[in-house]
Amino acid sequence: MATETLEQIWGADRLDRRQDADFLYNFITGEISKRKSRGKRSSYSLNIDAQWGGGKSFFLERFGKQAELRGHVVAYVNAWQDDHAGDPYIAIMAAIDRAFAPYVKKDTAVEKALRALKSNGGRIALNVAAGAARSLVKKHLDLSSGDILGEDEDPSLAAEVAEVVIDKSIETGAAEVDKLFNRALEAMIQQFQKADKAIQSFREKLATAVEALDSRKSGKKAPFFILVDELDRCRPSYAVHLLERIKHLFEVDGVAFVFATNSQQLQYSIIGAYGQGFDGHTYLRRFFERTYLFSEVSPKRRIEELCGAFDKQKIRAPERNNIVEFITSGYVAYGLDLRAIEQILEAIEITASAWPHKIPLDLLLLFPLCVSFQRTSKVDWNIALREIPDHWVIGQIFDDKYRGVVDRQINVKSAFSKAMGRFRTMDGVFRATRDADDSFQEQYVRQTFEPEWNGVSVDGNTPSIQTQLSDLLANAGRLMQPVLDDQEPV
């Protein structure tokens, strides 16, 4: 497969993120080079902060491809996809293994270093759950460090062991209490020392693996980038654990971590893990050396990006069929936020894909229906009509040299109401067509239904195909991915 050029990598960049990528790449590599020259730890951890809809995932993927094009090895970690795992360490190690795999050949320095890294990492990954510790202690009063091997210095495990020791001491007599506590404490100290030594050894071997990769022979160079996406969408406990793992295990020479998060949402996750009153902002500063704020995305640019996925042959809209302009005006009229508009546009995209007719669906009808569905979880024409802002007017009034004042405005609520009043039967459509005025708004509504009957034999008792939008939208809602709300924990 041919290697993509930078222009191809950033070809779909509608939010102008390439200049962010160029700056951040130069900054990170510059910082690591400066630290290395000064004999300091040459790793870096950067957080990219943007609100939902800010293009973080798009950016991170392209940033990684750009770094690969410039000779770096890149590992990708999707924290949200991996949070079913008990320990994020495994997911990170798997990502590192995948990244190194194309450059590992038998008996090379890279292969040997990676084999040593994985061997050492396996010892860290060993785990005995707290529940197992209870049964082990009950069975063996003479505790050994192997019986209490934990994934880290887990206070819950220590408490579990202590609880069992106390329970067992009651069974065996008060004289044994000191002996039991001494053995439990000694075992935990031994295990802590083993874990500390294993972590230090792991860091050294990871640094060796990166150094082996950074050579003329491999054709690659440091830093080794590890990109972590969707951390703010994880289970709170998993997000915390992943950050702790990276801090204690993976911050070594030649490694650069780049996170993409909604920092506010991530703070809520931290508070959810540690409890109300915990300072999530200060906590996160332990893990990110710097945070880079994406510039805010203009709503119209974001809407334009999302509308790029539409099958436009199936959609009709006012404003000379300008879908982006119509949706942007609706965004403003309803006072929506970017999270809401993405859910609404996802519903429109799915509904349009499922639209079975050659005659296009009308966005003036579907958009208010989708807004109502997003807000109430109900697909109801009457609710949608009530919620349309009275002031939502599209189009213009202007002076024409030959025609004088031309009114090309459409009051969306009025047009929606007109359509509802006639689309239950085709007879209703016919009658309204005969009796209606000749305003621009009326012309638009009339043209919505005209392809269904003009030159076509039709049963007057059948409803317009536009009425099917409600059922299609209800089905579309069952396909839509759940979206996490930016809500503070309670």
Side-chain angles (χ1 to χ4, degrees), residues 89-346:
Y89 166 79
I90 304 298
I92 301 171
M93 279 299 298
I96 292 174
D97 191 42
R98 287 192 299 270
F100 272 66
Y103 313 103
V104 173
K105 296 179 181 178
K106 192 172 182 181
D107 296 328
T108 63
V110 175
E111 190 269 342
K112 292 175 182 176
L114 185 61
R115 184 164 11 105
L117 171 65
K118 290 161 71 173
S119 173
N120 184 263
R123 287 193 288 275
I124 295 176
L126 290 174
N127 173 54
V128 174
R134 172 181 287 274
S135 61
L136 285 170
V137 176
K138 284 187 175 181
K139 184 176 180 181
H140 306 287
L141 287 180
D142 291 325
L143 295 171
S144 68
S145 60
D147 293 332
I148 317 176
L149 181 59
E151 61 185 14
D152 52 22
E153 310 89 73
D154 188 347
S156 64
L157 178 57
E160 184 82 9
V161 172
E163 180 185 344
V164 174
V165 168
I166 293 171
D167 291 344
K168 197 67 182 178
S169 69
I170 295 173
E171 297 175 16
T172 58
E176 297 294 314
V177 172
D178 289 341
K179 176 182 177 182
L180 290 170
F181 266 110
N182 287 341
R183 288 174 180 170
L185 182 60
E186 181 183 353
M188 284 187 281
I189 290 173
Q190 289 176 358
Q191 181 50 43
F192 176 83
Q193 291 171 339
K194 278 188 176 182
D196 193 50
K197 188 178 295 183
I199 288 171
Q200 184 59 36
S201 177
F202 175 85
R203 282 182 162 183
E204 292 171 358
K205 287 179 171 61
L206 177 57
T208 300
V210 173
E211 186 178 358
L213 200 61
D214 182 23
S215 65
R216 292 181 182 177
K217 194 171 183 179
S218 72
K220 297 299 171 182
K221 61 184 178 182
F224 168 43
F225 284 96
I226 301 178
L227 311 182
V228 183
D229 196 13
E230 304 280 22
L231 185 61
D232 48 342
R233 298 184 70 185
C234 295
R235 289 180 289 112
S237 59
Y238 187 86
V240 170
H241 208 171
L242 187 145
L243 288 170
E244 295 283 359
R245 279 301 198 198
I246 288 172
K247 183 71 174 177
H248 296 307
L249 292 174
F250 294 95
E251 285 194 347
V252 301
D253 288 343
V255 177
F257 276 91
V258 181
F259 297 83
T261 72
N262 178 332
S263 293
Q264 184 181 50
Q265 182 62 34
L266 184 56
Q267 287 179 45
Y268 295 157
S269 293
I270 301 300
I271 294 170
Y274 284 100
Q276 284 287 356
F278 187 81
D279 188 347
H281 174 73
T282 300
Y283 177 83
L284 287 178
R285 290 177 62 185
R286 295 173 50 206
F287 304 103
F288 306 141
E289 295 178 78
R290 292 219 181 242
T291 292
Y292 184 78
L293 297 174
F294 270 168
S295 58
E296 288 190 16
V297 180
S298 75
K300 187 172 181 178
R301 292 289 295 276
R302 181 60 175 156
I303 289 168
E304 184 179 16
E305 179 187 15
L306 296 171
C307 287
F310 288 1
D311 184 347
K312 296 179 177 62
Q313 299 300 314
K314 292 186 172 185
I315 300 175
R316 176 177 185 259
E319 295 281 16
R320 293 184 171 85
N321 214 37
N322 192 323
I323 293 172
V324 172
E325 288 293 337
F326 177 73
I327 291 176
T328 302
S329 70
Y331 169 88
V332 174
Y334 278 99
L336 301 170
D337 58 28
L338 287 178
R339 179 178 290 272
I341 201 66
E342 168 133 346
Q343 295 177 52
I344 290 163
L345 296 191
E346 182 186 7

Side-chain angles (χ1 to χ4, degrees), residues 21-41:
D22 291 337
F23 171 78
L24 290 175
Y25 172 82
N26 291 331
F27 171 74
I28 292 170
T29 55
E31 279 292 305
I32 288 178
S33 176
K34 179 178 69 176
R35 292 179 180 189
K36 187 174 183 180
S37 67
R38 295 178 179 179
K40 296 182 178 180
R41 176 174 54 80

Side-chain angles (χ1 to χ4, degrees), residues 50-91:
Q51 292 296 313
W52 181 92
K56 298 185 294 297
S57 295
F58 174 91
F59 172 85
L60 211 60
E61 180 184 350
R62 270 73 180 176
F63 179 87
K65 288 181 177 180
Q66 178 171 316
E68 289 172 335
L69 191 63
R70 290 175 172 172
H72 300 273
V73 178
V74 181
Y76 298 87
V77 178
N78 187 311
W80 188 49
Q81 288 182 357
D82 297 331
D83 81 344
H84 62 278
D87 190 342
Y89 166 79
I90 304 298

